Structures are given as C-alpha cells and as structure tokens.
Amino acid sequence: MRPIPLLIVSATLALLVGCGGYSDPPAGVPAQVETRAMVKQIIARQFNVAEDTFSLADPIMGKKLGADELDLVELVMELEDNFQITLPDAVLIGSESDSGFQAGLTGQQLANLVEGELQKN
C-alpha cells in the first residue's frame, strides 16, 4: 500500500463526515468483465487477500475484507489512480454507519461506478 499524506486523509475525512443526506452510492452502469476483474485484483492487492477468498458481492467494510473507513478511502483513491477516473464523493458518503460512510458498499457497486466513469470518457 502506498502512503497517503495525512493532510489529504484529514481533508477527505473532514469533507465526508461533514456531508450527509446520502443513503445509497450512485448507481453506475453494469460493469464489463474486464472492469470487474481489474477491480477484484485491486481489492485483493489493497487488502492483501487472495482473489478466491471473496466475491465482488461482499461488502468492502464487511468481515471478509475487514476494511475500515480509511481503507475504503484508500481503495477509492487506488481505483481512481488505476483507471484514471474520478469517482463521485457519494461513493463514500452514506448514512448506513455512524461515521457517515457507505458501510454496505460492495466491490460490484464500485466496479459499476468505475464502468460508468469509463464510459463518460
């Protein structure tokens, strides 16, 4: 995992915690096979797990991957870097957990969002 400057993390968390009113991430579009495969590879690498130990239907912040809010921010940044896109802030903001993050966000939802951004470009 690459280090993230504390200022970026602090600013991102302050922005996200200060925002509210979102309950679901943007819908995106159904992800292509290649996009899903790449997202799964990135998740596996980011959380240091084998690809066959989880599915894209698993919540990122669930028990299988064990991610916390900072891990989710880092994952989104890694996806943006790898695909050279910018995902909407609503990807992270939600009301499903006390922190305001999307506690139920899945790899499939992220893949769909990535696909939607790729199709825009």
Side-chain angles (χ1 to χ4, degrees), residues 3-82:
I4 298 175
L6 185 56
L7 180 60
I8 292 173
V9 172
S10 298
T12 302
L13 290 175
L15 171 69
L16 296 176
V17 172
C19 297
Y22 295 100
S23 60
D24 295 314
V29 297
Q32 300 293 316
V33 173
E34 299 84 15
T35 303
R36 287 193 312 266
M38 181 65 108
V39 167
K40 189 164 186 176
Q41 288 174 0
I42 292 168
I43 292 170
R45 185 175 64 236
Q46 194 75 17
F47 299 114
N48 198 27
V49 296
E51 287 185 48
D52 62 354
T53 61
F54 71 97
S55 80
L56 289 179
D58 294 326
I60 301 298
M61 293 174 61
K63 291 182 181 182
K64 281 193 178 182
L65 295 171
D68 62 16
E69 290 88 353
L70 182 56
D71 294 328
L72 182 57
V73 170
E74 290 174 344
L75 175 60
V76 168
M77 291 173 65
E78 190 67 25
L79 290 169
E80 289 176 335
D81 287 348
N82 275 274

